[in-house]
Amino acid sequence: MSASAPRPPRRHRRMSRADRERQMLDVAEEVFGDRGYQGTSMDEIAQRCGVSKPMLYEYFGSKDGLFAACVDRSKAELLDVTQKAMAAASTPEDVLWHAMVAYFAFVDEHSRSFAMMVSRPTDGSWKTVDAVEAIRRQQGTLISAALTAFAPHIGEQAIAAFTEIIIGASERLAQWRTRHPQVRIEDAARHMTDFCWKGLGPYLTEPGRSMPPRTP
């Protein structure tokens, strides 16, 4: 029997720019989330991606640029899930409930992204700080719009204050859940809904009208 002909060398499919960028962001999110901004090195990210460090810089310009790109992607994903959740609700309490469930579900599904966003971006430049603050501003716009729609009479100052309270409390509760994994998404959403509703309920219901029923 004659020897079989040698197989030609396998050609590796070249990764498209979009796929390569997605891979870099996925790896960077993991490293930033695990090590924080200061502890992350471009050398490690490049090595784990199987690319050269100059290529990493070619795509994102700097470590700050890479961090900002990671946060921007998380920002877009969070906006999408919360907008869809709020659009599916009608009453004020339902809007709050659905938004909280979506938020805590996002944190669970993107735990490294969340860790990255609440790590210490101040160790970087103004660009990293602004990238994280942009997420809070984005979510604040959604919250204040909902408050304005349901309680336009309370005034801009009260709406702005309530918005900041909700953002801060949600973030702290999400961080607390990372240390208490037994707390379910629905539990966290209920705690936030109950807390917010006790303060906001009187403003979000018409005089003489009872509060909407609790969401199960």
Side-chain angles (χ1 to χ4, degrees):
M1 181 182 291
S2 60
S4 58
R7 294 181 179 179
R10 179 180 297 176
R11 294 182 179 179
H12 295 283
R13 182 178 66 85
R14 186 174 181 178
M15 192 175 290
S16 70
R17 184 178 181 88
D19 287 341
R20 176 65 74 186
E21 181 173 325
R22 189 177 304 111
Q23 178 209 28
M24 291 175 175
L25 290 174
D26 288 343
V27 172
E29 281 188 13
E30 292 183 7
V31 180
F32 279 125
D34 290 341
R35 307 192 190 285
Y37 180 88
Q38 195 65 27
T40 295
S41 74
M42 296 290 271
D43 288 295
E44 179 180 359
I45 294 172
Q47 183 178 15
R48 289 175 61 172
C49 290
V51 301
S52 66
K53 189 162 74 169
M55 178 180 283
L56 201 57
Y57 279 97
E58 178 187 341
Y59 273 67
F60 301 103
S62 65
K63 181 177 171 181
D64 285 354
L66 177 56
F67 181 90
C70 289
V71 176
D72 283 346
R73 185 173 69 164
S74 295
K75 174 171 166 272
E77 292 174 357
L78 180 57
L79 177 64
D80 182 61
V81 297
T82 49
Q83 278 185 326
K84 288 178 179 176
M86 294 169 73
S90 56
T91 67
E93 193 179 18
D94 278 346
V95 169
L96 181 60
W97 165 256
H98 282 84
M100 290 303 166
V101 170
Y103 174 76
F104 292 115
F106 173 86
V107 171
D108 272 15
E109 293 168 8
H110 303 272
S111 57
R112 283 192 170 98
S113 298
F114 179 76
M116 177 188 64
M117 288 185 283
V118 298
S119 63
R120 297 176 59 192
T122 52
D123 289 341
S125 69
W126 64 267
K127 187 174 185 177
T128 64
V129 175
D130 189 65
V132 175
E133 281 301 313
I135 294 183
R136 297 184 178 113
R137 290 194 298 269
Q138 168 188 277
Q139 297 307 106
T141 298
L142 288 179
I143 295 167
S144 61
L147 290 174
T148 300
F150 288 114
H153 56 282
I154 68 176
E156 292 183 4
Q157 185 180 91
I159 288 174
F162 290 148
T163 296
E164 292 298 318
I165 291 168
I166 293 171
I167 291 172
S170 299
E171 192 170 299
R172 290 299 303 175
L173 186 57
Q175 287 180 276
W176 175 75
R177 281 192 68 236
T178 64
R179 302 188 300 274
H180 299 83
Q182 75 278 10
V183 179
R184 302 177 307 152
I185 291 170
E186 293 78 11
D187 295 333
R190 172 50 57 201
H191 293 322
M192 275 299 302
T193 303
D194 285 348
F195 177 78
C196 291
W197 191 250
K198 283 180 173 63
L200 295 174
Y203 300 100
L204 301 178
T205 56
E206 298 173 359
R209 175 185 170 190
S210 61
M211 292 185 185
R214 289 168 56 93
T215 307

